[in-house]
């Protein structure tokens, strides 16, 4: 069973994203083309003209090197080879290297990417479309990725870390494996999960390798290509943009200007550009590059360069220059023959700040697609929802509002005093006429008395609502329990829970159902019912 709810009705998406989905004209200047199926033709034509053929060759060589010792499916092998051809384009998503994939929406991003590539292959059979997962191996915020939630348990990997997370050694994992295993059941699916976890983190040397293994295992037959762009060969393609950023600092000027335009249109900006939007990367080091006192300095280190020295460093060691959130999208679109980036609301928000910067660098700005969002509901939960006479739009309400609405619906007594308030206003209308006909100073006393009476009715209404809540306590608690189960921590399920919770109950059916039911160009929030 599949159902949907408009993003506009969920109360979980920003005004910026809602206006984008509504194709609000004031956002037109911040993106290239809206992700309608028909618009991909023009995006293909533009990208084809503006993508360097030599980048294809370098990309394919690097992918073949990264996959050299991995079990590669026929479909992945075919997709990598296809990237050499000028009629092959990518659909890309990116994500951090969260422990055991982290939040559930990690799967939604990848499946959205796979499904869009397949949909485009049907629409445009003369082109090839390759889904790509860009691993955020250069990220350094370990605290964001070192855990995942399984049911009511937080499974975490607690070590001291520095530098790029992709290079972290997967050591001291015995305790993490034990923690996860202790909360799993003993079913066949539970055994699969713990074996996948052990093989990923005990048999691979780095976090990047472990993450690649998990994604390969979960999506081995889809043709998904996994890319680690932290590579000297790949960054050589980005040298002109690194040099421009270091010496001209174009990004700051362009992104600041666009950010100001967004703010003037009453939107919040997601990121703030720096003077130089690059980090310096070495083992256990990823620190900002600063320009101070005529020299280029690496923050919190002894490294510093003159202009000639840093030019030499860029030319000889481009792998040591790591783009931040402002420049990473440009690196991706320079390197890949990419048509569309698929991301969450927060990601799209910072992409909207980048269009003019892309134009200054003469790089095609990709189409931006909001990833699928979904809530997974069991058949048992669906039955409970129906028994409680709840629509899914009800469950998306803030809990206090939900309880208030359902109390009024379930109450045998009318709690809404609107008619009494209207009657009161009519009665005071006569007093106002009297005040106008006699002493107008009397009007203030009438107004004060009217407000006092209205406040009294409002107080009685609240007292009655509170009394009815007590009377209907059992039914309301069932409603709250269901909402709490579906919206853990009063947040979207996809942001809090890990796929393992659902895989243990449903096995391979989970991935298959998501692949069948997540439609990337159907811009609605999905409600997916599974048997467990």
């Amino acid at each position: 069973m599949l159902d949907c709810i408009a993003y506009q009705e969920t109360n979980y998406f920003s005004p910026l994203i809602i206006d984008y989905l509504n194709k609000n004209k004031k956002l037109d200047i911040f993106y290239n083309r809206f992700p309608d199926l028909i618009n991909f033709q023009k995006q293909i034509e533009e990208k084809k003209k503006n993508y360097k053929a030599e980048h294809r060759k370098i990309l394919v060589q690097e992918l073949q090197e990264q996959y050299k010792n991995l079990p590669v499916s026929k479909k992945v092998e075919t997709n990598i080879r296809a990237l050499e051809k000028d009629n092959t384009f990518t659909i890309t998503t990116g994500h951090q290297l969260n422990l055991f994939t982290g939040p559930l929406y990690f799967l939604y991003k990848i499946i959205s990417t796979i499904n869009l590539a397949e949909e485009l292959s049907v629409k445009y059979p003369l082109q090839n479309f390759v889904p790509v997962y860009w691993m955020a191996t250069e990220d350094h915020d370990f605290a964001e990725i070192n855990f995942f939630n399984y049911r009511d348990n937080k499974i975490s990997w607690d070590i001291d870390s520095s530098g790029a997370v992709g290079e972290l050694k997967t050591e001291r994992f015995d305790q993490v494996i034990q923690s996860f295993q202790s909360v799993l059941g003993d079913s066949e699916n539970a055994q699969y999960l713990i074996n996948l976890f052990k093989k990923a983190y005990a048999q691979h040397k780095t976090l990047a390798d472990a993450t690649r293994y998990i994604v390969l295992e979960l999506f081995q037959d889809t043709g998904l290509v996994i890319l680690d762009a932290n590579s000297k060969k790949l960054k050589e393609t980005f040298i002109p943009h690194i040099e421009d950023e270091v010496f001209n600092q174009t990004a700051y000027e362009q992104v600041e200007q666009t950010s100001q335009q967004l703010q003037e249109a009453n939107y919040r900006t997601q990121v703030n550009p720096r003077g130089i939007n690059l980090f310096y990367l070495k083992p256990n080091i990823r620190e900002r590059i600063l320009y101070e006192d005529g020299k280029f300095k690496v923050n919190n280190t002894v490294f510093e360069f003159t202009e000639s020295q840093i030019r030499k460093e860029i030319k000889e060691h481009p792998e040591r220059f790591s783009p931040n959130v402002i420049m990473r999208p440009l690196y991706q679109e320079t390197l890949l023959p990419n048509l569309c980036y698929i991301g969450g609301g927060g990601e799209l928000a910072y992409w909207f700040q980048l269009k003019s910067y892309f134009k200054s660098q003469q790089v095609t700005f990709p189409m931006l697609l909001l990833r699928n969002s979904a809530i997974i509901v069991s058949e048992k939960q669906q039955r409970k929802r129906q028994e409680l006479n709840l629509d899914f739009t009800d469950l998306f309400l803030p809990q206090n509002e939900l309880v208030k609405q359902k109390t009024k619906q379930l109450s045998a007594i009318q709690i809404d005093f609107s008619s009494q308030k209207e009657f009161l206003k009519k009665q005071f209308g006569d007093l106002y006429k009297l005040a106008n006909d006699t002493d107008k100073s009397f009007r203030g006393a009438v107004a004060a008395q009217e407000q006092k009476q209205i406040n009294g009715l409002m107080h009685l209404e609240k007292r009655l609502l509170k009394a009815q809540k007590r009377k209907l306590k059992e039914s309301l608690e069932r409603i709250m329990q269901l909402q709490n189960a579906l919206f853990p921590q009063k947040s979207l399920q996809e942001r809090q829970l890990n796929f393992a919770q659902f895989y243990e109950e449903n096995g391979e059916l989970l991935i298959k159902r998501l692949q069948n039911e997540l439609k990337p160009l159907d811009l609605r929030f999905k409600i997916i019912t599974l048997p467990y």
Side-chain angles (χ1 to χ4, degrees):
M1 178 180 177
L2 172 66
D3 206 349
C4 302
I5 179 173
Y7 283 109
Q8 293 86 336
E9 295 183 65
T10 66
N11 304 306
Y12 280 98
F13 293 84
S14 70
L16 175 63
I17 295 304
I18 296 302
D19 282 353
Y20 181 55
L21 297 177
N22 289 337
K23 302 183 185 179
N24 189 311
K25 290 294 183 184
K26 67 179 180 178
L27 280 172
D28 285 356
I29 62 171
F30 301 109
Y31 64 92
N32 198 4
R33 295 179 181 90
F34 194 80
D36 292 324
L37 199 56
I38 195 169
N39 285 342
F40 276 90
Q41 181 61 54
K42 289 183 179 179
Q43 191 74 19
I44 288 168
E45 293 167 3
E46 182 180 349
K47 189 66 180 183
K48 193 170 186 177
K49 291 176 184 176
N50 198 24
Y51 180 69
K52 295 180 179 179
E54 58 265 30
H55 287 189
R56 287 189 181 276
K57 185 176 181 181
I58 294 166
L59 176 63
V60 170
Q61 287 175 346
E62 180 63 27
L63 283 169
Q64 288 172 336
E65 181 65 24
Q66 291 187 14
Y67 274 86
K68 185 170 61 177
N69 298 316
L70 298 171
V72 183
S73 71
K74 194 70 177 176
K75 198 166 183 180
V76 169
E77 188 179 338
T78 299
N79 278 346
I80 291 174
R81 286 203 312 268
L83 285 166
E84 291 181 315
K85 302 173 183 176
D86 67 359
N87 68 334
T88 300
F89 302 91
T90 61
I91 305 298
T92 303
T93 194
H95 199 70
Q96 297 168 295
L97 307 185
N98 294 74
L99 186 65
F100 212 44
T101 75
L104 186 57
Y105 69 76
F106 175 81
L107 267 65
Y108 300 166
K109 292 176 81 170
I110 287 181
I111 292 170
S112 296
T113 304
I114 293 165
N115 286 354
L116 180 57
E118 291 181 355
E119 193 169 348
L120 290 170
S121 296
V122 174
K123 176 67 176 177
Y124 301 101
L126 298 181
Q127 319 294 334
N128 302 309
F129 302 94
V130 176
V132 172
Y133 163 46
W134 178 289
M135 294 200 297
T137 56
E138 295 177 55
D139 187 42
H140 64 244
D141 198 340
F142 185 63
E144 284 190 359
I145 67 167
N146 73 329
F147 70 94
F148 66 96
N149 297 316
Y150 174 79
R151 303 193 188 279
D152 295 325
N153 305 281
K154 182 177 180 180
I155 311 298
S156 60
W157 179 32
D158 300 313
I159 60 168
D160 293 327
S161 72
S162 57
V165 295
E167 298 173 356
L168 287 175
K169 304 298 182 186
T170 49
E171 298 169 344
R172 290 164 40 198
F173 242 89
D174 290 347
Q175 185 62 47
V176 189
I177 292 171
Q178 185 178 338
S179 295
F180 186 32
Q181 191 162 18
S182 68
V183 296
L184 278 169
D186 56 4
S187 67
E188 185 178 340
N189 290 334
Q191 194 59 47
Y192 169 81
L193 288 168
I194 194 61
N195 287 340
L196 176 63
F197 196 81
K198 287 178 179 177
K199 287 177 182 178
Y201 297 106
Q203 298 180 16
H204 294 84
K205 294 181 180 180
T206 67
L207 186 58
D209 290 341
T211 303
R212 184 190 285 109
Y213 173 80
I214 292 169
V215 177
L216 269 174
E217 177 68 20
L218 293 176
F219 299 102
Q220 54 188 321
D221 298 323
T222 64
L224 178 72
V225 173
I226 303 165
L227 176 63
D228 180 354
N230 186 12
S231 150
K232 182 175 183 178
K233 285 183 181 178
L234 296 182
K235 286 188 177 177
E236 284 173 353
T237 68
F238 199 54
I239 285 176
H241 302 290
I242 295 174
E243 290 176 335
D244 177 73
E245 180 62 13
V246 169
F247 301 116
N248 301 324
Q249 300 179 17
T250 307
Y252 180 83
E253 179 184 350
Q254 294 294 329
V255 177
E256 272 289 291
Q257 182 179 342
T258 305
S259 299
Q260 183 63 36
Q261 291 175 310
L262 280 163
Q263 289 166 2
E264 289 171 358
N266 296 317
Y267 298 116
R268 290 179 59 188
T269 50
Q270 191 74 10
V271 293
N272 296 309
R274 299 189 181 278
I276 297 176
N277 292 280
L278 291 162
F279 292 93
Y280 190 69
L281 192 64
K282 275 195 168 185
N284 300 315
I285 295 173
R286 189 178 185 250
E287 292 285 351
R288 289 170 50 206
I289 298 172
L290 309 171
Y291 184 67
E292 294 177 347
D293 304 321
K295 289 189 176 182
F296 297 92
K297 301 178 180 180
V298 180
N299 198 37
N300 297 321
T301 74
V302 297
F303 296 114
E304 64 177 39
F305 305 89
T306 63
E307 181 178 334
S308 60
Q309 286 172 333
I310 203 165
R311 283 189 186 276
K312 184 172 184 288
E313 186 78 352
I314 293 170
K315 184 175 180 180
E316 294 180 359
H317 295 287
E319 73 280 6
R320 293 177 182 172
F321 294 82
S322 177
N324 74 353
V325 66
I326 296 290
M327 287 196 73
R328 188 210 65 78
L330 184 74
Y331 178 34
Q332 171 190 297
E333 298 302 314
T334 301
L335 181 61
L336 295 175
N338 196 49
L339 301 176
C340 178
Y341 183 76
I342 297 179
E347 289 176 282
L348 264 57
Y350 69 70
W351 276 88
F352 285 131
Q353 296 177 247
L354 303 178
K355 187 184 174 188
S356 64
Y357 175 49
F358 269 68
K359 186 176 181 180
S360 75
Q361 302 299 296
Q362 299 180 322
V363 175
T364 296
F365 196 67
M367 297 167 81
L368 302 175
L369 178 61
L370 183 67
R371 65 166 173 82
N372 283 124
S373 278
I375 185 168
I376 297 173
V377 186
S378 71
E379 291 177 349
K380 182 179 178 181
Q381 288 169 329
Q382 282 284 26
R383 287 193 297 271
K384 184 179 290 188
R385 178 186 67 81
Q386 291 163 359
E387 289 167 4
L388 293 169
N389 196 27
L390 289 166
D391 292 329
F392 255 104
T393 49
D394 295 332
L395 289 167
F396 277 88
L397 290 169
Q399 192 162 92
N400 60 339
E401 183 62 27
L402 172 62
V403 169
K404 181 179 177 181
Q405 285 193 16
K406 298 313 290 185
T407 302
K408 289 183 176 181
Q409 289 176 18
L410 293 170
S411 175
I413 304 168
Q414 185 174 351
I415 298 174
D416 187 350
F417 282 9
S418 297
S419 60
Q420 288 87 343
K421 292 172 191 172
E422 284 301 314
F423 178 76
L424 192 65
K425 286 181 180 179
K426 288 177 182 176
Q427 297 299 308
F428 271 89
D430 294 335
L431 287 173
Y432 281 120
K433 289 178 184 177
L434 180 63
N436 290 335
D437 291 340
T438 55
D439 184 354
K440 290 186 178 181
S441 64
F442 183 56
R443 184 180 180 87
V446 172
Q449 187 63 33
E450 179 188 28
Q451 190 58 54
K452 182 178 179 181
Q453 296 294 326
I454 293 290
N455 289 343
L457 279 175
M458 291 173 65
H459 178 69
L460 287 173
E461 188 177 60
K462 288 179 182 178
R463 288 285 300 270
L464 181 57
L465 178 65
K466 192 173 181 179
Q468 288 301 95
K469 283 181 182 178
R470 287 195 297 269
K471 187 174 181 180
L472 298 166
K473 181 180 178 182
E474 186 177 338
S475 295
L476 293 173
E477 282 184 349
R478 291 178 66 205
I479 289 171
M480 288 188 289
Q481 286 169 2
L482 178 60
Q483 189 185 49
N484 291 339
L486 294 173
F487 294 82
Q489 305 298 318
K490 294 183 170 52
S491 177
L492 288 179
Q493 178 194 80
E494 62 186 33
R495 298 177 188 170
Q496 297 294 323
L497 304 184
N498 179 265
F499 85 98
Q501 177 171 331
F502 301 94
Y503 196 99
E504 185 180 11
E505 301 288 350
N506 296 280
E508 292 181 3
L509 176 64
L510 171 67
I511 306 293
K512 289 177 181 176
R513 289 290 291 275
L514 293 177
Q515 288 174 322
N516 287 336
E517 298 182 356
L518 294 179
K519 309 295 182 187
L521 297 179
D522 180 2
L523 301 177
R524 294 179 295 173
F525 195 104
K526 308 299 187 296
I527 298 156
I528 300 173
T529 304
L530 286 173
Y532 78 94

